[in-house]
Amino acid sequence: MLVRKNVWELGGDWADPILWYARAVGALKPKPISDRTSWRFWAGMHGYNQGLWEFYGYKAAKEKLPAKADFDEFWQQCQHGSWYFLPWHRGYLIGFEKLIRATVVSLKGPADWTLPYWNYFKSGQNGLPPAFGSPDWPDGKGNNPLFVEQRWGPDPKKPGKVFVPLNAVNLDAMGIHEFTGVASGGDRGFGGVDTGFEHGGTKHGDIESQPHDQVHGLVGGEKMFPKASPRPLPGLMSAPDTAGLDPIFWLHHANIDRLWQSWRLSDHRNTDPEESSWKKGPASHGKHQFVVPLPDGSPWVYTPQQMSDFAGVGYTYSDFSPAGTPLAAVASATAAPSGAATMAKSTGAAVEVVGVSAKALAVAGNGAQTSVPVEPQMHAKVASKMATTAAPGAREERVFLNLENVRGYSDATVLQVYVHFAGKDGTPSAERQVGSIGLFGITKATETDAGHTGGGLSYALNITKPYQEFAGSANVDLANIGVRLEAVAPVQQSAEVSVGRISIVRQGD
Ligand SMILES: [Cu+2]
């Protein structure tokens, strides 16, 4: 069995699997874009942007793209904001790993090469693995193919110092038991919302919107105030159209793929969708099938159902604990609970608006803040539901903060989100962090071109816990629920980042 291992635990910064990865990437990078087994062909399958590719030197102006038939079959396929996010990327990774392995073998390397994963949650491992951060090979000579110039990291004052700030990411999605969520303001589900073929959906599922999106932007970062452009320039990892060009992309996605299986193993309620529209993929309703080339160039068509059968995918991971701590906590959760059959599904669950602020909020510099008024009657309903125990089989009352129609031109931006409940008498109360949002994909979601309405991205953050603490108190200023967004790195004004609408909704029975 092929085992994907932790990149930080391979036995050194340039352990053999990393060295062979670098050699293979080095062999694939010079191949023509139109070659189905080239580095750039594989990046284009995720996404493509002519301007950025040419500006960063990944395509010469006169260089030919893949022929139209190949372009239409393979390119610009990545599934985001969709319940296909996990299975599409799993197949993409399998095909990529096969290509790298075949290349490693052709260079006289080991036939059991596997793609390492980067578990930034594990203690001491949130830094970029060193082999990716050095322009040199281990012998000190330059041209290390794992090094990428446009990988600026989270701090614009220290460009190139790449790490994942742990206060901006979390594993809350692992506690969600439904794969499929709702697009109406409640929980998006671990795996995402029910969509068709979706190359750039606006409502990301739970594991996609945290930590997947944040890691993209925090690693890629952006170049502020560049001379070449009035807007910040995204690092390769920061935007879907360039992310696949960065060799670290694949190790990040291997971790997300690993977390999918961790989730499945951690609780018997955590199961993949049963709907045939999910299992068979968008091809089942007449849309594009999921397909990637094999190392010999022939197409391999795969379905979410095949990707869901982990025993059949041909590889496993060395460790399934989400944060890399011992499995004890996870194992204990697998004890069969009673009443599992009565577990309610999100689909159709009531989602109602509790309060809304329809005023657009501009986000620049260090962030922005505003307040949302909640309707007293709706608040009373939530408070009473929270005060009573849900009937067997009924859904627990949950409350979400929705940040809707988030628009702008800074895909690297990550905003920490805080809520604040103040007393009617002016008594201040503690502010709570309720998560963070990463604007991965925001530029595409803001532009109005073919396939995009320009409505931006929308986020749903679970604020049940802080709301519950505040719900029971009579001394609450219902007209002013504070919402504050704090930028991890300053947001350039010219990026025109804004939130169109902020609402608080309840989800329950
Ligand atoms: Cu990604």
Side-chain angles (χ1 to χ4, degrees), residues 56-127:
Y56 290 153
Y58 284 90
K59 180 185 168 295
K62 285 183 180 158
E63 213 169 352
K64 280 217 178 83
L65 288 178
K68 184 171 180 336
D70 262 24
F71 192 100
D72 291 346
E73 182 173 10
F74 296 110
W75 272 39
Q76 297 186 316
Q77 299 298 306
C78 74
Q79 300 291 297
H80 289 106
S82 164
W83 63 350
Y84 298 131
F85 167 72
L86 290 166
W88 183 84
H89 282 85
R90 176 166 284 172
Y92 186 46
L93 252 58
I94 289 173
F96 175 81
E97 187 179 51
K98 281 186 198 292
L99 173 63
I100 298 293
R101 187 182 305 124
T103 310
V104 165
V105 168
S106 75
L107 298 170
K108 310 265 178 283
D112 62 350
W113 184 90
T114 52
L115 178 65
Y117 64 88
W118 177 22
N119 183 6
Y120 19 78
F121 287 105
K122 190 161 180 180
S123 177
Q125 300 183 357
N126 66 326

Side-chain angles (χ1 to χ4, degrees), residues 248-482:
I248 198 65
F249 167 91
W250 306 92
L251 282 74
H252 168 37
H253 266 276
N255 193 46
I256 298 296
D257 185 69
R258 187 185 71 93
L259 289 172
W260 179 13
Q261 185 58 12
S262 305
W263 177 78
R264 289 256 309 258
L265 293 172
S266 67
D267 192 297
H268 78 288
R269 287 171 291 182
N270 299 353
T271 56
D272 295 339
E274 287 299 327
E275 289 90 336
S276 79
S277 55
W278 185 82
K279 287 183 173 172
K280 292 179 180 164
S284 68
H285 30 98
K287 293 283 165 29
H288 206 296
Q289 60 191 4
F290 293 162
V291 57
V292 297
L294 290 171
D296 66 4
S298 64
W300 171 55
V301 175
Y302 62 95
T303 62
Q305 182 167 26
Q306 285 170 286
M307 297 302 98
S308 172
D309 173 22
F310 193 72
V313 294
Y315 65 88
T316 187
Y317 289 97
S318 58
D319 179 11
F320 286 105
S321 55
T325 47
L327 262 173
V330 175
S332 70
T334 55
S338 56
T342 59
M343 169 80 185
K345 289 237 179 232
S346 266
T347 320
V351 174
E352 293 179 294
V353 175
V354 179
V356 61
S357 162
K359 236 179 18 204
L361 177 67
V363 183
N366 293 324
Q369 57 187 334
T370 187
S371 67
V372 180
V374 299
E375 290 168 35
Q377 275 177 334
M378 286 304 301
H379 170 72
K381 181 175 180 177
V382 175
S384 89
K385 290 208 174 251
M386 282 179 160
T388 53
T389 320
R395 282 167 288 255
E396 296 284 335
E397 183 75 1
R398 288 186 288 177
V399 183
F400 294 86
L401 177 70
N402 277 243
L403 303 171
E404 298 161 65
N405 305 112
V406 182
R407 304 174 80 250
Y409 300 92
S410 172
D411 286 63
T413 287
V414 174
L415 301 169
Q416 307 272 31
V417 183
Y418 298 85
V419 293
H420 175 92
F421 302 102
K424 268 189 285 207
D425 57 5
T427 332
S429 68
E431 186 182 65
R432 299 293 165 80
Q433 184 175 357
V434 293
S436 74
I437 61 171
L439 307 193
F440 184 64
I442 193 99
T443 296
K444 282 169 89 168
T446 300
E447 282 164 349
T448 44
D449 57 12
H452 298 108
T453 57
L457 298 174
S458 289
Y459 302 84
L461 292 152
N462 190 326
I463 59 166
T464 307
K465 234 185 233 164
Y467 202 94
Q468 198 151 22
E469 286 170 32
F470 134 94
S473 167
N475 176 27
V476 163
D477 185 359
L478 293 177
N480 288 295
I481 311 294

